Amino acid sequence: MDLHGPAHLPRRRVLRAAAAATASLPLASALTSCLNLGVEGSPHGPLDVLYLGDATQQQSFNQLFDAFQEAHPDIGVKARGIAAPNWGTFANTVSTQIAGGKVPDVVQVATEGQRLFASKGLMEPLDTYIARDRALVDAYFADVDPRLRNWTETYGSTDGRTYYIPGGYNTAVLYCNTEVFDQAGVDLPTEEWTWEEFRRAGVRIKERTGAFLIPLGFGFPFVDIMPWLLTNGASTLNSAWDEGTFASEAAVEAATFVKGLIDDGLSPRPGGTFDAVGQLRNNALATLGGGRWPTLDVRRLDMLDRVRIVSWPVNAGRGSPVGWDGWPILKASRKKEKAWTFLTWLMSEEASVFYARNGGSTVPARNSVATGAPFLDQAPPGTEALAEAITYGTPIPSPERGSEVQDAVNQGWQAAITGTKPVREALESANETLGGLL
């Protein structure tokens, strides 16, 4: 799940490819090599935790880790944030560090990397720990949408064993500048709105205010591509992630609609340097797609009273990509008990409330927190739509050769929406490439 750059900032604010790459072939080779090194981290010293995040996210994570140490003063934490542009780069960095003998104890792994990491045997199975602390784990999952647990077990394992504790997740919604809509005399929807209603709103907004409707692109599938496919009953891959479905009639229809928004001037031409957050602030942009992470910018720019969140417009039906954090214990760690204590603390209501209240960029896995004041306060009206979207969402497709798959998807979508190739031809070509990769 890159969290999630440029026009759209990833599922974490810094990551433009939140849904971006898992790992390239060199990464797969590096990960395999790590298994034969026999390196192990020191049994002494603080718990070494790696996560993906820029300076803004590092500040939030450090607050979270400080709270853990207050609850467990006997366990030190050395948290290291890697400001990678996407999950593929992050995974490459982690594998390089492991190969060099610098073995972390716990690593944050988004959806995009979970299957790959699990397939390389880098993680310790958690089943024994879960069985030992069954009451604690069951209490956690009783407060978590069952889909999240099922998806983690289905897509985060290649042998039926459990390797990840799912953490926060993201879904896709629209952040709407209410001032732009008011100036154009356009009402925001109270329920679902259709693609056509969305387009008509954009035409009126453009005519009356000059503002763009939405920035559209091709480099960040989580926001650029998947919401349009899923709200039309399409996707890039089937549910098993072993067959391309990128050239279906529904996918062609989705790409054609997006191309039309660009051709009508309702989006800046993709591929440029359009500053989406800045233009939203300046009333030159009506909507911005994203998960929880744009809320951090909305707060920073003091725009909470000017933004409202609504669900993605639909054609065939409701849809949203879903990406989530997984927290594993590294097999080479020599602090596994301490690492498990850390994971159990992450499952606690205390940790969930703390992160929700202190700038977290994901939706808390605990439903009670995601629908409560710690998450909804200091957030745009309509924030409830983020947690609601998991009930109709679909995991972002993330097979083992995810980086190459994503490249093919991005290139096909780019050709389709920019007119480099006819839409159908562009998606059929990309789907043929997917077939070879899968």
Side-chain angles (χ1 to χ4, degrees):
M1 299 68 247
D2 251 14
L3 290 153
H4 25 296
H8 310 294
L9 303 174
R11 271 205 325 273
R12 304 291 175 282
R13 181 174 175 273
V14 58
L15 322 178
R16 167 158 171 84
T22 45
S24 58
L25 289 179
L27 167 62
S29 176
L31 291 176
T32 304
S33 299
C34 294
L35 303 181
N36 301 319
L37 292 175
V39 290
E40 293 186 346
S42 168
H44 309 294
L47 198 64
D48 191 0
V49 181
L50 279 184
Y51 63 93
L52 194 158
D54 65 355
T56 300
Q57 284 306 307
Q58 288 171 16
Q59 182 178 10
S60 297
F61 269 113
N62 286 340
Q63 291 175 337
L64 181 70
F65 300 138
D66 288 344
F68 167 74
Q69 291 195 256
E70 287 182 15
H72 296 276
D74 57 322
I75 302 178
V77 174
K78 179 183 177 182
R80 295 184 285 134
I82 298 175
N86 53 57
W87 284 103
T89 302
F90 175 80
N92 271 314
T93 302
V94 172
S95 68
T96 299
Q97 292 187 5
I98 293 175
K102 195 172 185 179
V103 181
D105 301 295
V106 176
V107 178
Q108 174 204 27
V109 184
T111 314
E112 291 85 352
Q114 288 173 16
R115 177 169 286 187
L116 176 67
F117 269 70
S119 72
K120 300 306 172 186
L122 289 172
M123 267 84 71
E124 178 75 6
L126 301 179
D127 304 270
T128 300
Y129 297 95
I130 291 172
R132 188 183 69 192
D133 290 323
R134 175 64 63 186
L136 183 153
V137 175
D138 285 350
Y140 175 64
F141 282 114
D143 196 19
V144 173
D145 190 294
R147 297 170 186 80
L148 190 58
R149 184 176 192 175
N150 292 337
W151 291 336
T152 301
E153 293 173 350
T154 300
Y155 297 114
S157 177
T158 56
D159 59 10
R161 292 186 287 184
T162 303
Y163 293 100
Y164 301 96
I165 295 297
Y169 63 88
N170 259 307
T171 52
V173 295
L174 289 182
Y175 286 71
C176 302
N177 185 321
T178 56
E179 287 187 355
V180 172
F181 278 82
D182 289 344
Q183 291 168 9
V186 176
D187 293 329
L188 281 167
T190 55
E191 300 294 337
E192 297 302 322
W193 54 352
T194 67
W195 284 1
E196 186 54 32
E197 289 169 338
F198 182 65
R199 190 195 68 80
R200 287 201 301 267
V203 170
R204 189 165 183 177
I205 287 169
K206 188 71 173 179
E207 291 174 347
R208 297 194 173 189
T209 72
F212 288 112
L213 174 63
I214 185 173
L216 300 167
F218 47 79
F220 182 18
F222 195 86
V223 170
D224 289 338
I225 302 173
M226 294 307 301
W228 299 110
L229 294 178
L230 293 172
T231 54
N232 204 36
S235 187
T236 54
L237 306 180
N238 64 0
S239 61
W241 297 352
D242 59 7
E243 181 181 347
T245 59
F246 199 27
S248 68
E249 289 299 321
V252 170
E253 183 180 22
T256 300
F257 176 78
V258 171
K259 182 178 185 298
L261 295 179
I262 297 170
D263 292 344
D264 291 343
L266 304 183
S267 166
R269 297 297 300 180
T273 57
F274 185 78
D275 177 8
V277 173
Q279 296 307 312
L280 191 75
R281 176 195 58 203
N282 295 335
N283 288 354
L285 180 65
T287 72
L288 173 66
R292 170 67 167 182
W293 66 90
T295 293
L296 303 186
D297 281 318
V298 172
R299 289 175 182 167
R300 176 176 58 85
L301 298 173
D302 195 23
M303 292 180 62
L304 289 174
D305 61 345
R306 295 170 50 195
V307 170
R308 182 177 137 204
I309 290 176
V310 301
S311 58
W312 210 273
V314 305
N315 195 41
R318 305 177 89 186
S320 171
V322 183
W324 59 92
D325 291 335
W327 294 92
I329 297 174
L330 271 289
K331 182 178 289 186
S333 169
R334 295 181 66 185
K335 308 186 194 82
K336 293 185 178 69
E337 285 296 330
K338 292 180 179 180
W340 176 247
T341 298
F342 177 73
L343 296 192
T344 59
W345 185 80
L346 286 180
M347 287 185 270
S348 71
E349 183 176 3
E350 172 192 2
S352 185
V353 168
F354 183 91
Y355 191 58
R357 185 172 284 144
N358 288 275
S361 58
T362 57
V363 183
R366 282 183 170 270
N367 289 324
S368 61
V369 180
T371 57
F375 184 68
L376 301 178
D377 287 353
Q378 290 299 299
T383 292
E384 299 88 347
L386 283 162
E388 181 187 6
I390 197 173
T391 65
Y392 56 81
T394 301
I396 180 84
S398 305
E400 289 180 35
R401 297 180 72 175
S403 179
E404 295 160 282
V405 166
Q406 181 183 295
D407 285 345
V409 167
N410 288 350
Q411 291 167 15
W413 193 259
Q414 177 181 3
I417 68 173
T418 60
T420 303
K421 293 181 179 178
V423 172
R424 186 180 301 278
E425 179 184 336
L427 298 193
E428 286 178 346
S429 177
N431 202 61
E432 183 176 347
T433 301
L434 294 179
L437 295 172
L438 298 171

